[in-house]
Amino acid sequence: MPFWHTKFSAWAKAWEAAGLSPLPRVTLSPPDRPEDLTINVFPLLRHYKGDTDALLKAILPPLESDIDSHELVKGFLNVRFSPEFWREFLSAIQTQPSAGYTHIRVLDGAFAVFEYPSPNTNKPLHLGHLRNIALGQSVSALWERAGAIVRRVNLYNDRGIHIAKSMVGWQRFFQPQTPHAAGKKGDHFVGDCYVAFEKAYKAEVEALVAQGLLEAEAMTQAPLFQEAQEVLRRWETGDPDVRHLWETMNSWVYDGFAETFQRLGVQFDKIYYESETYTLGKALVEESLSKGLFERSEDGSVWADLTAEGLGRKVLLRRDGTSVYITQDLGTADLRYRDFPTMTRSIYVIANEQDHHMQVLIALLRRLGRPYADALYHLSYGMVELPTGRMKTREGTVVDADDLLEEMRVRALELMDESIPPDKHEDTAERVGQAAIRFYLLRVEPKKNIVFDPAESIDLKGFTGPFLQYGYVRALRLREKAEIQGIRLTPPIEIPPLKKEEALLLRHLYALPSFLEAAALGYNPALIAHYGYELTQRYNEFYQKLSVLRAEEPVRSFRLSLSYAYEVAVRTVLEVLHIPLVAYM
C-alpha cells in the first residue's frame, strides 16, 4: 500500500488507540486556501470541554512527522504537509503510481456488468448514443480503476414495430437497392429506409385526420402502419421471406455499427439480441402468473399491480399473448444473471426517458424474488440537444455519430500546427476531434441535459478535451527535452521552498485519488473532467511562470518531478474519460 494511504490509515489507528470518538474527518483544502488538509475536530471539542490544548495533544502526535505547520480555527484543524512528505509523494509517483494513486481499491470485490449503448437496428448511431457510449466507457473505466471486475455488454434491440417499419420502408421506397449500391454505410442506409417510412406514414395519418378520423385512430388505420404490423406478425410466426429480409437488413446495420465502434474503441465482452431473449420474459411471466404474482384481465392480457410501489398497473403480455418491452427486459435480466452469477452490480446506461421503465423493471424483479434485483442500477442521463432544438429521428433531424465524428476531425485538421509532422496530421486530427466530443459530453453531470456546440467543444484554450491533450503534450515535450540535454528524471532528493504555483500544483496532484473515488462511487465522470481541467490550469501557470530545465539543482530535479507527476495524473484523467492520447498538438 502506498504512503498516501498508509499515512491516513496510520493517523486513524493512532487516534482510535488514543480513544478519540468520533474519529476526525480529513478533507483536502480548496485551492484558494493556504493549507493542504482540513481536519474536522469540532465534534471532539465537547469531549475536551473546549480545552483546545488538550485536544491538540491528542490529535497532533500521529501527524507530526508529516506536517510542517498547523492552525486550529473554530473546530477545524488546518495543516500543511512537510517538504519530506512531498518528497515521498513525488518519489512514489515515479516508482509505483498504480499502487493507490492512478488506481485505488475502494471497489475491491465488486463485479459490475455495464450495458450500453443498446441501439435499435433501424437507424445509425446518433449524438445521443455518443453520450451513452462516453458514459459507459468512462464509468466502467472508473470502476476498474477503483478495483472492480468489469464486464461490458451490449443489447441490440433488433425486433419490434420499429424494425418492421424500416423493412417496409425498404420494400416501398428503396428496393432493390443495397448499401453498397447506394454508396452508404449499412446503418445509414437502413436509417434512410426508416425515415422514408415515417414521412410517408405521417402524410397518411394527416390525410385520414382530414377525412374526419381522430389522430389516434388514424395512426393505427394508416395503410403503411397496417403493412408494418403485418410484417411484424409474419416475423413472429417465422415467415421465411420476412425473416430473410430481417436478417439481411440487420446485417447491414451491424456492419455499419462495427465501423463506428471500431473508430470509437468500443468493445464488448458479450452481445445480447432482443430477438433471442424476448421469449424468455414471456415464459417467466406465464410461470409467475400461475403463482399468483400477476393477474390476467378479461381480454386475456396479463398485468402487474404495482400501485403499492407507486408505479400503477403495468401490462406484461398483450391480449394476443405477445410481449411488451418490460417483459423482454425481465428475460434479459435473468439471462444476464445466469451469464454473470457473481455480479454485484448490473448497471444500465439508459437515457432518463426510461426512468419510469427502469423503476418498474426493478420492482418486478423484486416481486419475482430475484436475488439480483437490488444489484440493478440505472445510470440515467439527460438528453443531448442542438442549439436549434431537440433531435428527432422520425423527421430525419438527428445528428449521426459518424457525421459528427467526421466534422470534428475536419475542424481539428484546420487547427493543425505547422510543427506537427504532415504524416501525423490525420491521426492527430482524429484523436483531437474525439477528445472534443467526449469531454464535452462528459464534463456535465450525467443527469443534466446538454446543448452540444461543436465550435466550443474544440477550443484549445477552453474547458475542453483538446485543452487537456495540449497540457499532456506540453509535459511530454518537456521531459523529452530534458532527456536530450542529458537531464535524467529521478526522484527528488529534497524539496526546496515552494513557490505559489508549485504549492497549488502539488496539492491538486495529491487530490487525484479522492476524485477517482468520488467519480466512481457517484457514477459521475464530470468530477474527473473538472479535476483534469483545473489541474491543467495549475500546470500551465507553473510551466509559464517558472523555469524548469534552466533552474539550478535541486530546484530543477524537483520541478521536473513535479511536471512528470502532472503527466501521470493528466494521462490518468484522459484514459478514464477514454480520450485518446496524442503525441503532437
Side-chain angles (χ1 to χ4, degrees):
M1 184 180 291
F3 84 95
W4 45 78
H5 274 187
T6 56
K7 294 288 188 183
F8 287 175
S9 178
W11 296 353
K13 287 179 181 178
W15 289 334
E16 191 173 11
L20 296 185
S21 180
L23 292 179
R25 187 165 62 90
V26 182
T27 58
L28 291 162
S29 300
D32 60 341
R33 298 289 303 171
E35 63 273 1
D36 298 313
L37 294 180
T38 298
I39 304 174
N40 185 356
V41 297
F42 186 80
L44 293 170
L45 282 174
R46 178 181 296 181
H47 176 75
Y48 284 89
K49 299 179 180 180
D51 187 345
T52 57
D53 289 338
L55 174 62
L56 289 175
K57 286 180 180 179
I59 293 287
L60 288 177
L63 283 65
E64 287 178 343
S65 63
D66 301 316
I67 65 173
D68 196 38
S69 62
H70 68 272
E71 180 184 18
L72 182 62
V73 181
K74 297 181 180 179
F76 295 95
L77 179 62
N78 300 318
V79 302
R80 298 186 71 169
F81 287 131
S82 67
E84 177 59 18
F85 182 94
W86 287 126
R87 189 195 69 76
E88 290 183 11
F89 171 66
L90 293 175
S91 297
I93 289 179
Q94 289 186 36
T95 57
Q96 49 176 346
S98 64
Y101 186 65
T102 61
H103 295 71
I104 55 179
R105 314 307 320 172
V106 294
L107 287 173
D108 272 357
F111 187 144
V113 180
F114 285 79
E115 180 193 294
Y116 65 93
S118 302
N120 296 333
T121 58
N122 67 325
K123 56 190 175 184
L125 301 172
H126 54 64
L127 180 53
H129 288 119
L130 288 179
R131 187 178 196 189
N132 183 299
I133 290 169
L135 283 169
Q137 287 182 309
S138 182
V139 178
S140 61
L142 280 165
W143 273 57
E144 283 180 323
R145 292 267 177 171
I149 297 171
V150 167
R151 296 292 180 269
R152 299 167 177 85
V153 304
N154 186 17
L155 170 65
Y156 282 124
N157 298 300
D158 63 343
R159 63 165 294 279
I161 189 63
H162 52 295
I163 307 301
K165 288 179 177 180
S166 64
M167 293 165 66
V168 172
W170 179 80
Q171 291 173 320
R172 282 291 199 96
F173 309 111
F174 292 87
Q175 188 175 203
Q177 268 196 323
T178 65
H180 179 73
K184 282 199 167 188
K185 282 178 75 230
D187 51 338
H188 287 255
F189 179 74
V190 173
D192 290 344
C193 297
Y194 178 74
V195 170
F197 174 95
E198 285 292 344
K199 288 184 176 179
Y201 171 47
K202 181 180 180 181
E204 288 185 348
V205 170
E206 290 175 349
L208 290 173
V209 170
Q211 294 173 20
L213 268 65
L214 294 175
E215 184 176 7
E217 188 178 6
M219 291 177 69
T220 59
Q221 291 191 18
L224 274 173
F225 183 79
Q226 293 284 336
E227 191 173 341
Q229 286 280 64
E230 175 61 15
V231 166
L232 180 58
R233 185 195 66 77
R234 290 171 60 192
W235 182 91
E236 294 193 352
T237 59
D239 183 290
D241 292 335
V242 170
R243 285 287 179 134
H244 176 70
L245 177 59
W246 171 76
E247 291 172 354
T248 299
M249 293 185 69
N250 272 342
S251 70
W252 294 341
V253 175
Y254 296 144
D255 288 345
F257 284 172
E259 285 186 42
T260 307
F261 286 152
Q262 183 177 17
R263 185 173 188 176
L264 292 168
V266 178
Q267 295 180 322
F268 301 107
D269 297 292
K270 187 174 181 62
I271 293 178
Y272 296 92
Y273 298 88
E274 188 181 294
S275 58
E276 298 174 356
T277 64
Y278 81 105
T279 56
L280 300 176
K282 181 178 179 181
L284 177 61
V285 169
E286 290 174 341
E287 176 189 346
S288 302
L289 180 64
S290 65
K291 297 178 182 178
L293 297 175
F294 303 133
E295 58 190 50
R296 189 184 298 276
S297 67
E298 294 182 359
D299 67 357
S301 57
V302 177
W303 294 74
D305 187 356
L306 300 175
T307 53
E309 292 87 344
L311 299 170
R313 295 178 73 248
K314 302 299 172 186
V315 63
L316 302 177
L317 293 176
R318 301 184 185 92
R319 61 183 180 181
D320 61 2
T322 56
S323 302
V324 294
Y325 280 115
I326 197 68
T327 314
Q328 297 158 183
D329 287 345
L330 287 172
T332 304
D334 250 16
L335 178 59
R336 185 165 304 158
Y337 181 62
R338 291 200 292 271
D339 290 337
F340 304 102
T342 59
M343 70 178 183
T344 59
R345 255 297 183 246
S346 182
I347 299 166
Y348 292 69
V349 185
I350 304 177
N352 58 15
E353 290 180 319
Q354 299 299 321
D355 283 355
H356 181 74
H357 178 89
M358 290 302 300
Q359 291 170 7
V360 171
L361 176 61
I362 294 171
L364 288 172
L365 290 171
R366 287 174 178 157
R367 173 77 60 87
L368 295 172
R370 289 304 188 258
Y372 61 85
D374 290 329
L376 266 65
Y377 180 83
H378 177 201
L379 177 46
S380 175
Y381 64 90
M383 296 292 102
V384 184
E385 301 176 355
L386 301 172
T388 55
R390 187 172 177 180
M391 300 181 293
K392 299 179 181 178
T393 301
R394 291 181 177 87
E395 297 179 10
T397 60
V398 165
V399 174
D400 291 332
D402 296 312
D403 294 343
L404 181 60
L405 285 166
E406 190 59 23
E407 177 187 344
M408 299 310 297
R409 185 191 68 81
V410 172
R411 284 177 179 264
L413 269 177
E414 295 171 352
L415 298 174
M416 287 295 102
D417 190 270
E418 294 180 357
S419 63
I420 299 176
D423 63 331
K424 303 296 183 183
H425 281 198
E426 289 292 337
D427 180 65
T428 302
E430 175 68 24
R431 291 168 181 265
V432 171
Q434 284 203 34
I437 295 171
R438 288 179 183 278
F439 190 90
Y440 204 96
L441 295 175
L442 291 173
R443 71 181 193 175
V444 177
E445 184 180 348
K447 291 186 178 181
K448 295 182 179 179
N449 289 350
I450 295 174
V451 177
F452 186 83
D453 185 335
E456 181 184 342
S457 73
I458 205 167
D459 184 355
L460 297 180
K461 296 181 180 179
F463 181 24
T464 66
F467 178 72
L468 269 66
Q469 286 178 316
Y470 188 80
Y472 172 73
V473 170
R474 173 174 271 180
L476 203 63
R477 288 290 92 79
L478 179 62
R479 184 159 57 88
E480 290 176 354
K481 288 179 182 178
E483 292 174 357
I484 292 172
Q485 295 178 27
I487 304 171
R488 294 179 57 223
L489 173 67
T490 58
I493 298 175
E494 63 178 281
I495 304 297
L498 297 177
K499 301 290 186 180
K500 176 184 176 182
E501 293 79 12
E502 296 165 333
L504 288 175
L505 179 57
L506 266 174
R507 190 188 308 159
H508 217 72
L509 284 166
Y510 187 77
L512 175 62
S514 66
F515 276 88
L516 289 174
E517 177 178 343
L521 298 181
Y523 303 86
N524 186 8
L527 295 175
I528 294 296
H530 283 258
Y531 168 81
Y533 174 64
E534 292 171 6
L535 177 68
T536 300
Q537 285 182 310
R538 299 277 176 260
Y539 180 74
N540 286 343
E541 291 167 2
F542 158 80
Y543 184 92
Q544 292 165 1
K545 294 182 179 181
L546 302 176
S547 174
V548 177
L549 301 184
R550 294 179 181 177
E552 298 293 329
E553 293 293 357
V555 174
R556 183 176 65 184
S557 293
F558 161 64
R559 288 179 180 170
L560 187 59
S561 292
L562 190 54
S563 180
Y564 178 72
Y566 165 76
E567 184 185 327
V568 170
V570 77
R571 181 185 182 116
T572 300
V573 169
L574 293 170
E575 288 175 348
V576 162
L577 299 180
H578 221 275
I579 289 175
L581 300 174
V582 290
Y584 305 92
M585 281 291 280

